[in-house]
Amino acid sequence: MRGPLISFLAAYIFAGIFAFECDKNAYICRTSLEITNRLTMFHETEKAVYPKKGSLYRYDVTNITDAVPVNIDEVVTGDGWERQRMVVVANGTLPGPSIIGYKDQVLVIRVTNMLPSEGVSIHWHGIEQKGTPYMDGVGFVTQCPINPGQAFTYTFKLDESGTFWYHSHIGAQESKGLYGALIVRDKDQPTHLQNVSSDFILQVQDWNHDYDADQGFLFSNVGVYINRTKVATTLLPQGHVASLWNAHSSLFNGKGRYHDPQTGVHNEAPLEVFEVQEGNYYRFRVINVASVYSYRISVDNHTLSIIGSDDELVKPVDVESFWVHPGERFDFVLHASAAIGNYLIRGVADDSIAPIPAEAILHYSGAEQSFDDVTSERVNCTDADPCTVLNCPFPSYPSNPELRCMSVDALQAFFQNEVPGFQEGAFQEHFLNFVIPGSGTTPRTINNIHFQLPPSPVLSQPNDIPNPCSKSNCTADNVCTCTNIIDLFHNNTIQFVFMNMGKRKTWHSIHMHGHAFDVLKLRYANYNETTGEYISQNADISCGENATEGTICNKPKWSDPSWLNGNITGLNLVDPPRKDTVVVPYGGYVVVRIKADNPGFWMLHCHLLPDVMDGMVLLLNESFAYLPETPKNFPTCGHYEGIDPGISII
């Protein structure tokens, strides 16, 4: 029997978070998102609430023994901090409802902006939008922002199955809570995953108690002062420097616990709980929705079998833990083979001094349902039996020889993709250096160019760009501000060399819209193998005759001339992992390739929120051929030119 042509997504609770799931037999699936403000730790009828022993209680309850807890699903808890904080959410929840569709369906999502004074646009992270570039959801690139009181309907086909997500692409709204999972399932489970009982979604983020902390970060380069004393930047492993952005805590699926920095005691807020049956297998889809922090994810007393990265399946690899960087996703299968009990799911942030852990509970059916003080331990790793950590942003843990790093380019695609090859006359190679050129208020750049957002969507109004870099006399020797655009010619093979070579020792998580790319090679800087101290940038890339260590690499080229035309030593051209977000380690580089077969204007940027907000962005112009027509009644917008000074306003 033929299924319905159109279905409306059914709402339900999915592993502790709200979700909508399509009828898998429908061709078109519709749902809606309403964007509003809410307060954390506040209930519509019970008013302010507080956490105790993993539950929530009305503010005036003093004896919890006989009290009825407040329904956790009706409260945005955050980390349980009792002073309310305003958030921006979809359909009233943090995170927003998970949207679960099926491969080859058409998804229709009406987004209504009910914020009082902010525009909105929603990006569908990882969806390539083939044939629908106007639906990518980037304000002033693919569309006008959705103004307060307005609505916009996104319509696109789900061409690939996998783990995706959606989030605001306006300002800092993503960090304020405007995000959610977008899961695309195969209608028939892949053969090697047929023993998996069910899916769980795990979204990890850093969390700040201040609504405007994200914007404030942009001014933090001038220094952070506490009690009239300048606070030094936080050191990371390998001598790297952390962000000055202050995360108070970390959350899994919008829940976490605030740890008092003075006492180290947490506030007993509720955590996310995943219930499993002993002996079964479960697929976890992990999404890093953080503003700044990378997280090392593990499950106490369990080995994780990595089966997917971003939206692509990979050949299974058993690991103790893995790093997931902002914008990235990893899928793993967990075999519930431990003794019946409760185990911590850990997300350790990349700040080694104040790791602000994210915590959730793996609860075996039949175990005690008390989650306030779970005391499980990590997998036991030893020198004789070391553990594998996937996707480290540095090559090793010298102080922890029981841990062995595995770089993401060592993964192998489960289904081999055809890697775009070298084509004479149709091969473009671009070296892109993602760096913060100096100190103080120096902006973030790609190749020393600080991106200027155009006043109108370049996709539908390409003639409205007032300051393209081609007309700005930019040079490699000084930072300039302009709308940076790289032209990609139809059906060419495009090879990008993502670099991270400059003064600021941190890593960058690079996301490409409109394409998944083959990760052909990742190489780190040079480190002392004994101490882990940084020595020098990777010598495979030459930064020019007069370049010195630590200066910005603005004139890069391969040190070995024979590596031109895609002839680079060490490329995996057979079964590389295919991703849309990849970490570029400091002093190192990543080689990726795409086929220019998706006409549109696509953003390429670092997914650390302060970096994308402050100009570590460029646009890929792939609109030279076969660009779809602008949708009917597509809105136009432009910048406000100001008031004629000859006009008096009373």
Side-chain angles (χ1 to χ4, degrees):
M1 179 181 294
R2 183 180 179 183
L5 175 63
I6 299 177
S7 77
F8 291 83
L9 289 159
Y12 64 101
I13 302 293
F14 180 84
I17 54 178
F18 287 91
F20 295 128
E21 181 171 356
C22 295
D23 180 336
K24 73 176 181 180
N25 296 312
Y27 176 63
I28 299 174
C29 201
R30 297 181 181 273
T31 190
S32 61
L33 299 175
E34 183 176 271
I35 313 305
T36 60
N37 288 125
R38 281 195 69 181
L39 291 176
T40 60
M41 296 300 288
F42 195 84
H43 188 273
E44 184 175 353
T45 60
E46 302 301 313
K47 308 309 177 186
V49 298
Y50 71 95
K52 194 67 175 177
K53 295 187 180 300
S55 297
L56 301 177
Y57 296 92
R58 181 183 163 94
Y59 69 96
D60 56 359
V61 170
T62 57
N63 181 6
I64 68 171
T65 302
D66 299 319
V68 177
V70 173
N71 188 342
I72 293 173
D73 293 330
E74 296 174 356
V75 177
V76 175
T77 62
D79 64 1
W81 191 56
E82 291 182 41
R83 290 175 57 188
Q84 287 78 36
R85 184 208 139 151
M86 188 166 68
V87 292
V88 180
V89 293
N91 292 11
T93 65
L94 173 72
S98 296
I99 298 172
I100 302 170
Y102 289 85
K103 185 178 177 180
D104 295 328
Q105 285 183 329
V106 173
L107 199 55
V108 180
I109 307 174
R110 180 177 174 84
V111 176
T112 303
N113 180 8
M114 299 303 292
L115 299 176
S117 57
E118 297 179 55
V120 168
S121 70
I122 302 296
H123 170 55
W124 314 95
H125 188 114
I127 300 293
E128 295 185 29
Q129 301 291 357
K130 290 197 172 182
T132 52
Y134 300 94
M135 301 294 123
D136 195 42
V138 183
F140 297 111
V141 175
T142 62
Q143 69 172 98
C144 308
I146 309 166
N147 289 322
Q150 293 183 338
F152 184 92
T153 299
Y154 293 92
T155 303
F156 52 89
K157 190 174 181 181
L158 303 176
D159 290 320
E160 299 293 336
S161 59
T163 301
F164 306 89
W165 61 299
Y166 64 87
H167 60 84
S168 170
H169 224 294
I170 294 287
Q173 290 172 347
E174 175 198 325
S175 72
K176 295 174 172 63
L178 188 43
Y179 68 86
L182 172 58
I183 307 302
V184 184
R185 292 175 174 165
D186 291 295
K187 292 182 179 178
D188 297 311
Q189 184 83 303
T191 302
H192 72 295
L193 298 177
Q194 288 184 354
N195 63 346
V196 173
S197 298
S198 59
D199 283 9
F200 292 126
I201 298 170
L202 194 63
Q203 299 166 86
V204 60
Q205 72 176 117
D206 42 21
W207 187 247
N208 189 286
H209 293 161
D210 305 314
Y211 181 79
D212 59 351
D214 318 276
Q215 293 95 317
F217 175 91
L218 297 179
F219 301 96
S220 66
N221 282 332
V222 302
V224 175
Y225 294 82
I226 298 176
N227 295 329
R228 300 183 300 280
T229 301
K230 188 172 183 178
V231 180
T233 53
T234 303
L235 293 180
L236 295 173
Q238 316 289 348
H240 294 272
V241 178
S243 159
L244 290 171
W245 186 79
N246 178 29
H248 290 113
S249 54
S250 298
L251 312 179
F252 275 138
N253 291 349
K255 298 184 181 73
R257 287 176 174 167
Y258 177 55
H259 292 250
D260 188 301
Q262 303 299 322
T263 65
V265 177
H266 66 69
N267 60 5
E268 301 184 15
L271 298 178
E272 188 79 324
V273 178
F274 299 92
E275 183 170 348
V276 297
Q277 295 283 340
E278 183 186 15
N280 287 354
Y281 292 82
Y282 297 88
R283 179 177 185 169
F284 281 77
R285 300 174 184 265
V286 180
I287 307 170
N288 186 332
V289 300
S291 299
V292 171
Y293 284 98
S294 301
Y295 287 86
R296 180 182 161 203
I297 306 295
S298 64
V299 181
D300 283 4
N301 206 29
H302 290 76
T303 296
L304 315 180
S305 181
I306 301 294
I307 61 160
S309 179
D310 295 349
D311 64 308
E312 294 281 336
L313 294 176
V314 297
K315 293 178 181 177
V317 175
D318 288 344
V319 303
E320 180 271 340
S321 58
F322 61 92
W323 286 70
V324 57
H325 304 283
E328 276 191 312
R329 293 89 67 208
F330 279 94
D331 291 15
F332 68 84
V333 169
L334 178 143
H335 182 202
S337 58
I340 292 177
N342 296 314
Y343 300 90
L344 278 180
I345 301 173
R346 302 176 188 265
V348 180
D350 57 14
D351 188 326
S352 60
I353 295 176
I356 55 168
E359 296 175 341
I361 306 296
L362 184 75
H363 168 65
Y364 276 68
S365 179
E368 182 181 1
Q369 295 192 11
S370 176
F371 311 126
D372 188 49
D373 190 24
V374 177
T375 57
S376 59
E377 297 182 353
R378 304 181 75 110
V379 170
N380 184 33
C381 306
T382 65
D383 291 352
D385 186 18
C387 293
T388 299
V389 182
L390 175 67
N391 200 28
C392 304
F394 40 73
S396 65
Y397 285 89
S399 60
N400 295 289
E402 69 276 10
L403 300 179
R404 301 286 175 84
C405 282
M406 175 181 177
S407 62
V408 75
D409 67 326
L411 293 174
Q412 297 173 286
F414 190 86
F415 300 107
Q416 290 188 13
N417 300 301
E418 183 178 352
V419 179
F422 174 76
Q423 302 177 94
E424 187 69 42
F427 182 86
Q428 297 173 248
E429 183 174 56
H430 297 280
F431 288 82
L432 301 177
N433 196 19
F434 296 81
V435 295
I436 304 172
S439 58
T441 57
T442 306
R444 292 148 173 83
T445 68
I446 302 176
N447 289 356
N448 238 25
I449 297 175
H450 176 238
F451 183 78
Q452 182 179 43
L453 194 68
S456 309
V458 294
L459 185 61
S460 56
Q461 298 169 247
N463 297 322
D464 290 355
I465 304 172
N467 188 29
C469 290
S470 59
K471 299 180 181 179
S472 296
N473 298 317
C474 286
T475 67
D477 299 319
N478 61 284
V479 174
C480 61
T481 300
C482 54
T483 303
N484 193 9
I485 300 174
I486 292 178
D487 294 334
L488 307 183
F489 296 99
H490 190 62
N491 276 334
N492 275 12
T493 293
I494 316 295
Q495 181 165 286
F496 293 100
V497 184
F498 298 154
M499 304 159 42
N500 182 3
M501 298 185 175
K503 296 180 179 179
R504 195 74 64 90
K505 293 183 176 68
T506 187
W507 46 81
H508 293 289
S509 186
I510 307 306
H511 173 53
M512 183 183 294
H513 294 221
H515 288 276
F517 45 74
D518 292 302
V519 181
L520 306 184
K521 183 178 182 179
L522 183 151
R523 291 296 182 268
Y524 298 99
N526 298 310
Y527 290 90
N528 184 300
E529 294 182 2
T530 301
T531 66
E533 290 298 316
Y534 170 83
I535 298 174
S536 62
Q537 294 174 165
N538 192 291
D540 290 347
I541 293 177
S542 169
C543 294
E545 295 179 0
N546 299 320
T548 59
E549 173 67 29
T551 60
I552 303 166
C553 192
N554 288 327
K555 299 176 181 178
K557 61 181 180 180
W558 294 118
S559 298
D560 185 341
S562 70
W563 284 18
L564 293 174
N565 299 322
N567 191 32
I568 302 168
T569 299
L571 296 186
N572 179 2
L573 299 175
V574 178
D575 55 2
R578 182 165 288 183
K579 294 171 59 64
D580 55 65
T581 309
V582 68
V583 68
V584 183
Y586 176 72
Y589 65 90
V590 184
V591 180
V592 307
R593 278 189 196 173
I594 65 169
K595 183 84 165 181
D597 58 358
N598 191 15
F601 264 96
W602 307 113
M603 184 175 271
L604 176 68
H605 61 92
C606 179
H607 215 277
L608 277 67
L609 190 64
D611 289 353
V612 68
M613 289 178 64
D614 195 35
M616 194 174 281
V617 178
L618 60 76
L619 300 182
L620 305 176
N621 178 16
E622 204 174 336
S623 65
F624 294 100
Y626 312 111
L627 184 67
E629 292 184 5
T630 305
K632 186 178 181 181
N633 299 323
F634 194 76
T636 59
C637 56
H639 65 294
Y640 180 58
E641 295 288 358
I643 298 172
D644 187 328
I647 298 176
S648 297
I649 296 180
I650 300 175

